[in-house]
Amino acid sequence: YVLKDNSLLSSSFRTLTNFTFSNTFGMTTGTSNCAKHSIVKNEFKSLHFSENTYQQLQRDFALGNGDYIMAFHDLMGCQNQQQAFGQVMRKNYQQIFPRGQISAGDMLENIEHHLKANKMALGSCAVI
């Protein structure tokens, strides 16, 4: 950072610098104040885990329990309610995997939809 705070002065300086030298300069030197939010980091972790354990997750979701679904539960930032989480995933298996082999990203979108729909039973998860 050239100016670390997000004051009017620092924002104006970043805007002027990025306008004058192109946005590439701002990203490279850090004047654009780009940073990844923790939610983005958590979503990346869950996507990475899903891609690498897709087959095992699919099996555990069909059963409603197992090591991979419990690890996924924790990775999603869900508090307690592991058994209820497994039951919701098993109950909604056909909607989570509508065509059998779907992408890990599509699977995550479907899971997040069901987590939101079952928020009363499951409590809150950090990713949603």
Side-chain angles (χ1 to χ4, degrees):
Y1 294 116
V2 174
L3 296 170
K4 292 185 181 193
D5 62 337
N6 284 324
S7 68
L8 181 59
L9 176 63
S10 64
S11 295
S12 299
F13 180 73
R14 282 191 297 274
T15 302
L16 178 63
T17 303
N18 293 336
F19 177 74
T20 305
F21 295 107
S22 85
N23 201 24
T24 307
F25 176 81
M27 288 184 283
T28 305
T29 61
T31 60
S32 63
N33 198 19
C34 295
K36 289 184 179 176
H37 193 276
S38 62
I39 292 173
V40 174
K41 291 178 184 177
N42 288 340
E43 286 180 359
F44 178 76
K45 288 178 186 176
S46 59
L47 180 60
H48 181 72
F49 181 79
S50 299
E51 288 173 340
N52 289 308
T53 61
Y54 184 88
Q55 298 296 326
Q56 295 90 341
L57 277 173
Q58 191 173 19
R59 183 198 66 228
D60 282 5
F61 279 37
L63 297 171
N65 62 30
D67 292 337
Y68 289 92
I69 196 171
M70 293 304 115
F72 185 77
H73 166 273
D74 295 342
L75 190 61
M76 295 292 284
C78 300
Q79 302 297 318
N80 305 322
Q81 306 298 334
Q82 288 183 343
Q83 187 176 4
F85 182 85
Q87 290 172 353
V88 168
M89 296 304 118
R90 193 184 86 189
K91 177 182 162 196
N92 296 292
Y93 179 84
Q94 293 299 325
Q95 290 81 31
I96 294 170
F97 299 97
R99 302 179 299 281
Q101 188 76 13
I102 61 172
S103 74
D106 288 341
M107 179 191 74
L108 280 175
E109 285 181 26
N110 295 341
I111 291 168
E112 287 177 9
H113 169 76
H114 289 290
L115 290 176
K116 288 177 186 175
N118 292 283
K119 198 169 189 171
M120 293 299 290
L122 297 175
S124 63
C125 297
V127 174
I128 59 169

